[in-house]
Amino acid sequence: MNIGDVAHRAGLPAKTIRYYEDIGLVKPLRSQNGYRRFRDSDLHKLSFLGRARSLGFSIEDCRTLMALYEDHSRASADVKRIARQNLAKIEEKIAELQAMHDTLSHLVKKCHGDDRPDCPILTDLAKAHG
Amino acid sequence: MNIGDVAHRAGLPAKTIRYYEDIGLVKPLRSQNGYRRFRDSDLHKLSFLGRARSLGFSIEDCRTLMALYEDHSRASADVKRIARQNLAKIEEKIAELQAMHDTLSHLVKKCHGDDRPDCPILTDLAKAHG
DNA sequence: CTTGACCTTCCAGTTAATGGAATCCTTATC
DNA sequence: GATAAGGATTCCATTAACTGGAAGGTCAAG
């Protein structure tokens, strides 16, 4: 699979994918003509990367996760520990999003929706994240 | 409240807060001595900003939300629409995190946890995000 | 009245991309 | 076979969002 193809499928710009190769997050093969050739596993990694980055995971977090893909000689206990740590992070993020969601949906309910100013969203939004 | 105080409470570095003032996300007052003076509303905004940024919302997203705080003359219908759009984004993010969580927790279960290599995490992780 | 913690501005550097130029490869059409 | 379009390559510059550090002002405690 060429870069345009994998970019389309993973939902990432080709530029970003080249950058990820630069910093060692993916290591596509090369065809005779010099084109990058991406395997399915590369596509999976890139999709995962795109998702993780858009959810606020750092490149270093991603690097750790990518290492799980790559280092098949890593001890299972280690893999498990890393996976667990990331589960905790995910749960925390979900909780935070849930809090944001609760606040906003509560406010949408209270907001009149007409063209009057002075929507209660403003004051409540201010209180909500103290 | 001075910058160190608000930084501590909002969980953001003072540097970042100064940067957010630079780009107009917060507008703290100034004391006689030139120190920034943050109101409670500034603290709320900054906490919200920190959270939103760590969850992958862009600065522009944040700017829109901050505008809700600020522009009290904005029509309620408009406020409501913006809040709704962000609710949708939040829900999408939660779903994506849930997917990541399911994958990882499933794999933790399957991973032996001893020191043997060849943990099934690796292959499953590869399949999971196709 | 000085020491230390905290504040200021300014300028430089980093991270994570992104944009653009110049060039090469592949495929379809004349 | 020439040519033009579409996608690939590298390399260099720029942007966005911070981050670090220097040089100096402010303030409460001893």
Side-chain angles (χ1 to χ4, degrees):
Chain A
M1 185 178 351
N2 283 347
I3 200 167
D5 198 358
V6 83
H8 177 75
R9 297 202 212 178
L12 285 174
K15 278 257 159 171
T16 302
I17 295 174
R18 291 197 192 96
Y19 173 70
Y20 286 165
E21 186 189 14
D22 272 6
I23 63 173
L25 284 178
V26 282
K27 305 194 202 313
L29 307 171
R30 292 286 176 147
S31 305
Q32 240 95 11
N33 60 14
Y35 285 18
R36 289 168 184 82
R37 209 180 71 233
F38 295 86
R39 289 148 294 188
D40 277 4
S41 63
D42 294 316
L43 171 58
H44 298 137
K45 282 193 195 181
L46 288 167
S47 304
F48 187 91
L49 274 169
R51 176 167 288 186
R53 291 293 293 129
S54 83
L55 291 165
F57 286 91
S58 72
I59 290 284
E60 281 319 299
D61 289 336
C62 293
R63 202 181 289 284
T64 306
L65 267 328
M66 290 306 105
L68 293 189
Y69 279 85
E70 250 144 40
D71 185 1
H72 284 250
S73 73
R74 188 186 283 267
S76 287
D78 198 24
V79 170
K80 198 166 182 170
R81 186 181 49 76
I82 292 169
R84 278 237 183 77
Q85 282 171 1
N86 281 277
L87 273 177
K89 276 195 195 178
I90 289 170
E91 281 159 23
E92 200 186 313
K93 278 175 189 290
I94 289 177
E96 290 187 49
L97 280 169
Q98 203 60 62
M100 283 179 68
H101 189 275
D102 288 355
T103 304
L104 274 181
S105 65
H106 173 67
L107 297 170
V108 163
K109 248 184 246 163
K110 286 182 81 176
C111 183
H112 308 296
D114 53 24
D115 283 326
R116 271 191 308 148
D118 257 16
C119 175
I121 266 184
L122 305 165
T123 40
D124 280 25
L125 206 55
K127 274 184 244 159
H129 297 277
Chain B
M1 198 181 334
N2 283 347
I3 199 167
D5 199 359
V6 82
H8 177 76
R9 298 203 209 178
L12 285 173
K15 279 258 159 169
T16 302
I17 295 174
R18 291 196 193 97
Y19 174 70
Y20 286 166
E21 186 189 14
D22 273 5
I23 63 172
L25 283 178
V26 282
K27 306 195 200 314
L29 306 172
R30 292 287 175 145
S31 304
Q32 239 96 11
N33 59 14
Y35 286 17
R36 288 168 184 81
R37 210 180 71 234
F38 295 86
R39 290 148 293 188
D40 276 4
S41 63
D42 293 316
L43 170 58
H44 298 137
K45 281 193 194 181
L46 288 167
S47 305
F48 188 90
L49 274 169
R51 175 166 288 186
R53 291 292 293 128
S54 84
L55 292 165
F57 286 90
S58 72
I59 291 282
E60 280 319 301
D61 289 335
C62 294
R63 203 182 289 281
T64 306
L65 266 330
M66 290 305 104
L68 293 189
Y69 279 85
E70 249 144 40
D71 185 1
H72 284 250
S73 73
R74 188 186 282 267
S76 289
D78 198 22
V79 171
K80 199 165 183 171
R81 185 181 50 77
I82 291 170
R84 278 237 182 77
Q85 282 171 1
N86 282 278
L87 273 176
K89 276 195 195 178
I90 289 170
E91 282 159 23
E92 201 185 313
K93 278 175 188 292
I94 289 178
E96 289 186 50
L97 281 169
Q98 202 59 63
M100 283 179 69
H101 189 275
D102 289 354
T103 303
L104 274 181
S105 63
H106 173 67
L107 297 170
V108 164
K109 248 184 249 166
K110 287 182 81 175
C111 183
H112 309 295
D114 54 23
D115 284 327
R116 272 190 309 146
D118 257 19
C119 175
I121 264 185
L122 305 165
T123 40
D124 281 25
L125 207 55
K127 275 184 241 154
H129 299 276

